[in-house]
């Protein structure tokens, strides 16, 4: 009696199928299950027996038989997983569309934005279903971000001018990003700060005692990341003129100086213009109105705020200024330049695309 059962038909693989199977085996992003099934088919196509393939790939013989049979019956499609049994889908595509349209085009009657609970009540679906739909389509009604489009008529020219200095600075010249961080407050908490402990973060009172303010004039060197700073109690054209004199003193005399500034009024007074005429190596480049993000020194101000000012405690303006000078000296001991990567065309294309998306932009 023949105990081997019916003879297994030979496995033939076309050149196109072999190329696809070998690609699935080599590709790193291929699921491991699909890669194993592809190896099984390729081994069987080489003429190896089921037991030999089982031994070489260290899988059960029934696994080899299953995927060999699936490939014979359905080709490459047979190597995919079958639909799993389970409860039929209860949320239809129309339900999903209804939730998305309602989220994007409507608002609840008693709130400014939807929550999972309010949307669930409005649509008759469960809160978890609303949450899954929102996550799948990256909808977050609870979040809100700010933006502002510049109305400067010379926006394009100024963007190209400033970005050109970042990406292709002139030779024998120094590019400095200049701005003022005004009204820096010397704040002392109304009660002592409680230090951090295991399992307990640092704690501080919500109210404070204000001891006064100071203003930091700063010039960030684009190439090296070094910062030239000066502290003044007032914020006028006279103080800005003193800061320009300090830059003229500290920058080597054989270098031209290109200053990237915002459109604050103190930068354009007759006294400043007269000083610039007497110092022709200084060249001013203005960022567009409402576009302080284009000035790299703003990024440095963010570092100063987060690492020194926001959680600092100062009982006097003198203590505040001492801490700022110390932090500035530490920064210049190990300066870290901020690298600008976006070209002017990329920035302008993104702004143009955004203007097309929003309504009533008038740009």
């Amino acid at each position: 009696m023949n105990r081997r059962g019916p003879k297994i038909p030979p496995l033939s693989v076309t050149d196109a199928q072999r190329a696809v199977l070998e690609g699935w085996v080599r590709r790193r992003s291929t699921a491991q299950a699909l890669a194993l099934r592809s190896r099984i088919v390729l081994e069987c196509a080489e003429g190896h027996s089921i037991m030999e393939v089982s031994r070489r790939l260290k899988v059960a013989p029934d696994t080899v038989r299953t995927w060999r049979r699936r490939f014979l019956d359905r080709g490459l499609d047979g190597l995919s997983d079958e639909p799993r049994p389970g409860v039929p889908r209860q949320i239809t595509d129309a339900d999903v569309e209804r939730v998305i349209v309602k989220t994007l085009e409507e608002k609840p009657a008693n709130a400014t934005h939807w929550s999972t609970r309010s949307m669930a009540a409005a649509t008759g679906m469960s809160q978890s279903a609303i949450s899954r739909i929102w996550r799948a389509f990256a909808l977050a009604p609870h979040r809100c971000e700010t933006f502002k489009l510049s109305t400067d008529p010379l926006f394009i020219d100024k963007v190209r001018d400033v970005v050109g200095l970042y990406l292709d600075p002139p030779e024998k010249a120094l590019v400095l990003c200049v701005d003022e961080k005004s009204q820096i407050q010397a704040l002392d908490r109304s009660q002592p700060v409680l230090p951090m402990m295991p399992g307990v973060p640092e704690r501080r009172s919500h109210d404070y005692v204000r001891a006064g303010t100071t203003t930091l004039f700063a010039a960030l060197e684009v190439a090296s990341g070094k910062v030239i700073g000066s502290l003044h109690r007032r914020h006028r054209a006279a103080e800005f003129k003193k800061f320009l004199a300090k830059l003229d003193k500290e920058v080597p005399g054989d270098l031209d100086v290109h200053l990237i500034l915002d459109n604050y009024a103190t930068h354009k007074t007759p006294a400043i213009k007269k000083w610039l005429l007497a110092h022709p190596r200084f060249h001013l480049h203005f960022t567009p109105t409402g576009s302080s993000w284009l000035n790299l020194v703003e990024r440095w101000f963010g570092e100063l705020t987060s690492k020194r000012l926001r959680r600092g405690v100062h009982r006097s303006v003198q203590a505040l200024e001492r801490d700022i000078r110390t932090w500035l000296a530490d920064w210049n001991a190990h300066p870290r330049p901020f690298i600008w990567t976006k070209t002017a065309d990329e920035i302008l294309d993104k702004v143009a695309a955004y203007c097309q998306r929003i309504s009533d932009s008038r740009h």
Side-chain angles (χ1 to χ4, degrees):
M1 181 181 296
N2 185 3
R3 298 180 181 275
R4 298 182 179 179
K7 185 177 180 180
I8 299 176
L11 187 65
S12 61
V13 179
T14 65
D15 292 340
Q17 289 175 330
R18 182 181 295 275
V20 174
L21 291 169
E22 290 176 349
W24 285 345
V25 171
R26 292 193 303 266
R27 193 177 299 118
R28 293 182 178 180
S29 60
T30 302
Q32 292 300 311
L34 181 58
L36 176 61
R37 298 164 193 173
S38 302
R39 293 190 185 96
I40 291 174
V41 174
L42 291 173
E43 291 286 343
C44 292
E46 295 294 330
H48 301 300
S49 65
I50 290 178
M51 298 304 297
E52 178 68 13
V53 175
S54 173
R55 184 186 62 80
R56 291 165 64 94
L57 299 182
K58 298 180 180 180
V59 295
D62 287 342
T63 301
V64 179
R65 293 189 184 94
T66 297
W67 296 111
R68 189 180 190 279
R69 188 183 312 113
R70 291 272 294 271
F71 182 80
L72 281 172
D73 295 341
R74 298 169 52 190
L76 296 174
D77 293 337
L79 301 184
S80 302
D81 289 323
E82 294 285 355
R84 295 181 178 272
V87 178
R89 179 183 176 190
Q90 297 180 350
I91 300 176
T92 64
D93 291 343
D95 294 330
V96 175
E97 181 181 3
R98 182 160 56 94
V99 171
I100 295 173
V101 171
K102 201 171 188 66
T103 304
L104 296 177
E105 299 181 2
E106 300 180 18
K107 290 184 178 181
N110 59 347
T112 59
H113 59 278
W114 292 102
S115 66
T116 54
R117 290 178 176 82
S118 61
M119 180 60 73
T123 58
M125 301 170 63
S126 67
Q127 180 185 350
S128 59
I130 299 299
S131 180
R132 288 195 299 270
I133 294 173
W134 281 355
R135 284 198 303 269
F137 289 88
L139 296 174
H142 65 285
R143 294 184 58 191
C144 180
E145 297 180 353
T146 60
F147 81 98
K148 182 176 181 179
L149 294 173
S150 175
T151 58
D152 196 320
L154 299 177
F155 176 78
I156 295 177
D157 295 335
K158 291 181 178 180
V159 168
R160 294 193 183 280
D161 181 31
V162 174
V163 175
L165 288 175
Y166 290 152
L167 300 180
D168 188 20
E171 297 182 356
K172 296 182 179 180
L174 200 64
V175 179
L176 298 176
C177 297
V178 176
D179 202 359
E180 306 88 20
K181 187 172 181 61
S182 60
Q183 300 295 311
I184 305 176
Q185 301 184 81
L187 303 179
D188 182 22
R189 298 295 163 177
S190 60
Q191 297 177 6
V193 176
L194 301 180
M196 177 180 61
M197 296 185 297
V200 180
E202 179 184 272
R203 291 171 292 174
R204 60 185 59 232
S205 61
H206 68 278
D207 53 344
Y208 55 84
V209 178
R210 185 167 177 258
T213 63
T214 188
T215 295
L216 172 63
F217 291 78
L220 171 70
E221 185 179 338
V222 174
S224 66
K226 291 185 177 181
V227 177
I228 301 173
S230 180
L231 289 165
H232 297 275
R233 299 296 174 86
R234 304 186 68 179
H235 183 203
R236 302 171 303 173
E239 284 73 28
F240 181 63
K241 183 178 177 181
K242 292 178 182 179
F243 183 61
L244 290 177
K246 181 175 182 178
L247 295 180
D248 185 39
K249 180 179 179 180
E250 296 196 13
V251 176
D254 59 337
L255 295 178
D256 283 348
V257 183
H258 293 265
L259 304 182
I260 298 175
L261 302 160
D262 61 15
N263 294 273
Y264 195 64
T266 57
H267 301 158
K268 302 177 180 180
T269 61
I272 298 300
K273 293 179 179 179
K274 183 178 179 181
W275 188 93
L276 292 172
L277 290 175
H279 300 79
R281 70 178 184 133
F282 279 77
H283 309 276
L284 270 56
H285 306 263
F286 293 99
T287 60
T289 304
S291 301
S292 59
W293 49 268
L294 202 57
N295 197 333
L296 278 178
V297 75
E298 296 290 348
R299 181 65 188 85
W300 184 82
F301 282 151
E303 290 285 303
L304 171 63
T305 301
S306 63
K307 296 182 178 179
R308 184 67 244 173
L309 299 180
R310 181 175 291 125
R311 293 170 61 177
V313 176
H314 304 97
R315 293 184 172 89
S316 65
V317 176
Q318 291 81 3
L320 171 63
E321 293 179 342
R322 184 166 55 250
D323 275 357
I324 293 176
R325 292 191 181 96
T326 301
W327 197 85
L328 180 60
D330 291 341
W331 174 276
N332 286 331
H334 305 283
R336 299 178 298 278
F338 300 104
I339 307 300
W340 190 274
T341 58
K342 290 286 187 180
T343 65
D345 288 336
E346 290 174 334
I347 295 172
L348 296 174
D349 290 344
K350 190 172 182 178
V351 173
Y354 195 82
C355 289
Q356 293 177 356
R357 288 177 53 194
I358 63 178
S359 60
D360 298 327
S361 64
R362 297 190 296 274
H363 282 68

